Amino acid sequence: MSVLRNLESRIAGLVEGTFGRVFSTPVRPVEIARRLVKEMDEHRTVSVSRTYVPNEYVVWLSPEDRESFAPIEQEVADELAVRVLEHARGEKLALVSRPVITFETDERLHLGEFGIQARLVRPNEAAAPGIAPAAAREEVPAVVQAEHGNTMVFSSADRLQEPLEQQRAERRGRAIVVAEGRRMVVPAGGAVLGRSRDCDVVIGDSNVSRRHAEIRPHAGGWVVEDLGSTNGVRVNGRPVDGPTRVTGGDRIELGTVPITFEVD
């Protein structure tokens, strides 16, 4: 089971009896985890021999979502920090300290919307246990700290950063992909397809890259996008160049692996 898929099941056991109420909120930890990893990847800073990434993340929630998270907020933050640390180690990215995740409230956000502010902050002392000592010895880039006004805002209903008014208005059917003899439902927020166990839809064929493509909601429908794969993506025989709309019955090919896209 992938780290992302196992995330909520681990959190579920932390506070028995509150889990169902906590996740009646549209914002789910697995969606925040995906965005944290993406923000980490998009805020890389190259130094002499290392690539540094943010070590502090502020997750901004609407008042309603923050209230729902409150009973197990620290436990969720700890689980998310583990996910960020695992990703950094897997990608050989440098952290100047163990990642820290904190939650804050923003009155401007609506239910189901959340923001992420990523910061690279130099520690006052040597690297914490578990962080490579070289990261403390090497010259660390200057602190990178975005103002709250520049915080990236997302909607849990849509993994594209689109105007929030458009996100709220979208209505679409449930997406299903049929591959390797299996029918798999695409989560409401979209899915990454690839060979890695961390993907939402795992395709075992060796012609498929670890993170090959993404299917996600867009403008009332669905799009597929190549994530920089080796063997490319085709829709009905045509190579994909950027987000490409797909509808029920379309044939998607990840390299040489055929996938049928359905909507019900």
Side-chain angles (χ1 to χ4, degrees):
M1 182 179 292
S2 73
V3 174
L4 287 174
R5 287 173 180 162
N6 198 32
L7 180 63
E8 290 188 9
S9 63
R10 294 205 305 265
I11 294 172
L14 294 173
V15 183
E16 187 175 357
T18 65
F19 183 76
R21 184 175 74 81
V22 168
F23 295 107
S24 60
T25 172
V27 176
R28 301 177 69 82
V30 68
E31 186 66 24
I32 296 175
R34 289 193 185 98
R35 286 297 181 180
L36 287 170
V37 168
K38 190 165 290 188
E39 286 298 292
M40 169 180 278
D41 288 339
E42 291 179 358
H43 289 82
R44 301 186 182 197
T45 302
V46 179
S47 186
V48 178
S49 61
R50 291 175 176 269
T51 299
Y52 288 92
V53 289
N55 56 325
E56 294 189 5
Y57 300 84
V58 180
V59 179
W60 297 88
L61 299 172
S62 70
E64 298 91 341
D65 284 315
R66 182 78 188 283
E67 182 180 359
S68 294
F69 268 77
I72 57 171
E73 182 174 287
Q74 187 57 55
E75 289 84 352
V76 173
D78 291 343
E79 288 284 357
L80 292 173
V82 169
R83 168 58 183 152
V84 169
L85 180 60
E86 288 175 346
H87 177 75
R89 286 173 170 168
E91 298 296 321
K92 293 182 172 53
L93 301 172
L95 288 160
V96 297
S97 68
R98 285 189 176 277
V100 175
I101 315 293
T102 57
F103 289 95
E104 298 290 347
T105 303
D106 189 331
E107 300 284 345
R108 297 169 294 179
L109 294 175
H110 295 271
L111 184 69
E113 298 169 0
F114 64 97
I116 292 180
Q117 182 182 24
R119 300 177 292 188
L120 193 163
V121 181
R122 282 184 288 189
N124 294 326
E125 300 177 357
I131 304 299
R137 294 196 300 269
E138 184 180 321
E139 181 181 357
V140 179
V143 173
V144 177
Q145 180 170 347
E147 296 297 328
H148 178 46
N150 295 327
T151 297
M152 301 301 292
V153 177
F154 310 101
S155 168
S156 63
D158 194 335
R159 293 174 68 186
L160 279 178
Q161 186 188 350
E162 300 173 333
L164 295 177
E165 292 78 7
Q166 178 178 334
Q167 292 178 347
R168 297 190 195 105
E170 291 181 353
R171 295 293 185 270
R172 59 182 64 82
R174 184 178 66 163
I176 297 171
V177 293
V178 182
E180 299 183 323
R182 296 174 294 152
R183 296 181 82 252
M184 295 161 280
V185 176
V186 176
V192 173
L193 294 76
R195 206 173 66 252
S196 170
R197 293 182 180 275
D198 284 345
C199 291
D200 304 289
V201 176
V202 179
I203 309 294
D205 194 285
S206 60
N207 289 305
V208 174
S209 297
R210 294 184 71 255
R211 290 171 56 86
H212 197 111
E214 182 178 36
I215 294 176
R216 62 191 183 221
H218 175 58
W222 297 88
V223 296
V224 62
E225 183 172 10
D226 192 342
L227 297 180
S229 68
T230 300
N231 295 320
V233 178
R234 290 179 174 77
V235 174
N236 297 326
R238 296 182 179 180
V240 164
D241 183 14
T244 301
R245 189 175 181 85
V246 287
T247 58
D250 282 346
R251 176 187 173 94
I252 303 172
E253 295 174 70
L254 305 187
T256 59
V257 178
I259 294 175
T260 301
F261 182 77
E262 300 178 356
V263 177
D264 65 5

